[in-house]
Amino acid sequence: MTQSRRMVVLRAVVEDYIRFQEPVGSSALTKQHDLGVSSATVRNDMAALEDEGYLIQPHTSAGRVPTEKGYRYFVDRLATVVPLSAAQRRGIDSFLSGSVSLQDTLQRAARLLSEITGQVAVVAAPSLAKSTLRHVELVPVATNILLAVVITDTGRVAQHTIVANPMPEQDGAARFTNAVNAEAASLPLTSAARKVRAMAAAPQWKELAPLAESLAVAFENMADSERTNELYMSGTSRLAHQHAAIADLAPLFDALEEQVMLMRLMSAMPRHDGVGVAIGSETHTPGLMHASVVASGYGQTKTRTGEGGELDIPGWGSPDSHDSNPSRTSKHGGDMIDRHAAYDEQSDQTDDSGQNDAEPVAFVGSIGPTHMDYAATIAAVQAVARYLTASLAHEGDGD
C-alpha cells in the first residue's frame, strides 16, 4: 500500500463528502472513482487514513468523513484554481457595474458572493488607514463648526466635525483648503496630517494655524478609526438551511455578530497569492469551530502570476493533484470552475519580479461549513475581489 495511492483515496473521500454530504463507504468510492483497486483495498486505505487522523467514522457501520486534517490536506493540494466562466464574469461585471456608490458596490458584492457560493459573504469597506487623500472640503454647518468631508482614492467618504474658535473667514478657509488639496493629495491620511502641520508653519497660514491643527487631528482620527459598521454581510439566513446541528449554529450566529473579530480574522489570515483558507480550529474562534473561512484582499493588491497567466499558488498544482473529474460543478453556482483552463483576467499590476508591492485596502470573504466546495468558493472569492480591485482603481483614476 503506497502513500500516494492512500492520498488519492483521501482526495476522493473529501470530494464525495463535499458533493453528497453523507459518510463515504469503500464500495461507493470505487463506483464513483476509477481507483484501480478493489473495494477491500480501498477499505484498508480508509482505515489507515483514519488511524492517521485524516478521516473519522461517525458510527461503526457508517462510512467515513474528513477531519480538519483531511480538509487541510485537500485544500493545500487543490489543482490550480481558475475562476469562473466568461458568462459568469460578465454577470458579475453587469451586476456590480450598476452600483451608484462605493457603499452600493460593496453591498452588491456581498449579495452576489452569497448567491454564487450559497454561504455567508462578508465584504469590508476599504481601510482608511491604507487609503490616500483625494480631496477634502471644509463645510460650515454652524456658527463655529466646520465639517471636514474627506474623499479617498478608494472612493470612500469620511466626515469629521471641527470646532473652530474663531471661525475663519470663508475666503481664507477656501484658499487653505485648496492648498491642502494641492499639497496633500495622494498622501496617506497620516502623511497628510504631517503635511498640513508643516503648511501651518508658513507665514501665509499663520492665522489659520488652529484650523490646520484641527484638520490634521481629523486626518489622524480617520486613519485610526476602523468602524465595525463598515462591514457588509449577506447570506446569514442560508445557515438555517445548511445540514448542521442546531448546537453548531448558535455559536456560529454569535461569531457573525462579532464584526470586530471577523475583521481581525480575515485581515490577519495567512494567504498564498492573496487567498487564505482557515478550517475549523484554524480560525481560533470558538463560534467557527465547525466552519471554514475563505478570504482575499482587494484594492491595491498586485497579483503574482506564473507562466501562461495562471495563478501560481504554492502547493496547488502538483502533477499528481489534478482533479480526476475536472468537469465538476457547484450545486450553487452551476459550472463554476474549469480547473485546467487558463484565466484570462490576471492583474496587469505585477512588477517584473512577479512580487506584490502593495497591501490590500480591505478583504472579501466567504464563511460556510467545513464541507464547503473549496475550489468553487476560492474561485468566487477571487473573482469578486478582482472586480472590487478594478472598481477601486477606476475610482482612483477619478472617473
Side-chain angles (χ1 to χ4, degrees), residues 35-48:
L35 299 175
V37 293
S38 67
S39 176
T41 299
V42 170
R43 189 180 308 114
N44 291 335
D45 285 351
M46 293 173 71

Side-chain angles (χ1 to χ4, degrees), residues 169-181 199 204-205 208:
E169 293 183 3
Q170 185 173 354
D171 289 346
R175 284 187 290 107
F176 179 70
T177 303
N178 290 337
V180 171
N181 284 321
M199 290 173 59
Q204 67 192 98
W205 306 120
L208 294 177

Side-chain angles (χ1 to χ4, degrees), residues 80-94:
T80 299
V81 176
V82 183
L84 309 188
S85 68
Q88 287 169 324
R89 293 199 300 271
R90 287 193 298 270
I92 292 175
D93 189 37
S94 175

Side-chain angles (χ1 to χ4, degrees), residues 78-366:
L78 278 173
T80 299
V81 176
V82 183
L84 309 188
S85 68
Q88 287 169 324
R89 293 199 300 271
R90 287 193 298 270
I92 292 175
D93 189 37
S94 175
F95 186 77
L96 295 183
S97 64
S99 304
V100 297
S101 65
L102 174 63
Q103 181 184 41
D104 188 31
T105 298
L106 301 181
Q107 289 173 332
R108 284 171 175 254
R111 291 201 305 271
L112 179 64
L113 181 58
S114 178
E115 287 293 329
I116 293 174
T117 63
Q119 298 165 175
V120 177
V122 179
V123 180
S127 167
L128 286 173
K130 297 178 181 178
S131 302
T132 61
L133 177 68
R134 181 195 293 178
H135 189 80
V136 60
E137 287 287 344
L138 295 177
V139 182
V141 293
T143 304
N144 64 335
I145 296 178
L146 294 168
L147 183 66
V149 181
V150 173
I151 303 175
T152 70
D153 61 322
T154 62
R156 183 167 172 181
V157 179
Q159 300 178 353
H160 191 89
T161 301
I162 294 177
V163 178
N165 287 312
M167 190 74 161
E169 293 183 3
Q170 185 173 354
D171 289 346
R175 284 187 290 107
F176 179 70
T177 303
N178 290 337
V180 171
N181 284 321
E183 294 288 332
S186 299
L187 293 178
L189 293 181
T190 51
S191 298
R194 290 193 294 269
K195 174 65 71 172
V196 169
R197 287 194 175 98
M199 290 173 59
Q204 67 192 98
W205 306 120
K206 182 177 180 180
E207 294 183 358
L208 294 177
L211 174 62
E213 176 60 26
S214 295
L215 182 58
V217 171
F219 285 156
E220 290 171 340
N221 288 342
M222 290 177 184
D224 291 339
S225 175
E226 291 301 334
R227 296 169 294 172
T228 59
N229 62 351
E230 297 295 345
L231 196 65
Y232 301 89
M233 188 177 299
S234 182
T236 53
S237 61
R238 297 176 183 273
L239 293 176
H241 303 289
Q242 299 285 352
H243 295 285
I246 298 298
D248 296 339
L249 289 179
L252 179 54
F253 278 119
D254 290 341
L256 294 177
E257 289 292 324
E258 295 293 334
Q259 295 192 355
V260 173
M261 177 276 298
L262 287 179
M263 293 181 73
R264 289 175 179 170
L265 167 64
M266 293 197 177
S267 61
M269 282 172 57
R271 296 184 176 92
H272 290 303
D273 283 349
V275 180
V277 180
I279 303 171
S281 63
E282 295 173 356
T283 65
H284 304 290
T285 304
L288 299 178
M289 288 297 103
H290 300 283
S292 290
V293 180
V294 177
S296 175
Y298 74 86
Q300 296 175 353
T301 301
K302 297 185 178 182
T303 306
R304 181 183 305 174
T305 56
E307 294 182 4
E310 293 185 344
L311 281 176
D312 184 16
I313 302 178
W316 282 29
S318 57
D320 62 347
S321 64
H322 289 283
D323 195 339
S324 60
N325 186 7
S327 62
R328 285 184 59 204
T329 60
S330 165
K331 63 179 179 178
H332 295 295
D335 294 324
M336 294 289 294
I337 302 173
D338 177 357
R339 291 162 59 182
H340 303 287
Y343 180 39
D344 61 4
E345 290 191 4
Q346 291 292 340
S347 167
D348 59 1
Q349 299 178 354
T350 310
D351 62 22
D352 292 338
S353 67
Q355 299 295 321
N356 297 342
D357 61 6
E359 291 293 323
V361 297
F363 64 82
V364 54
S366 183

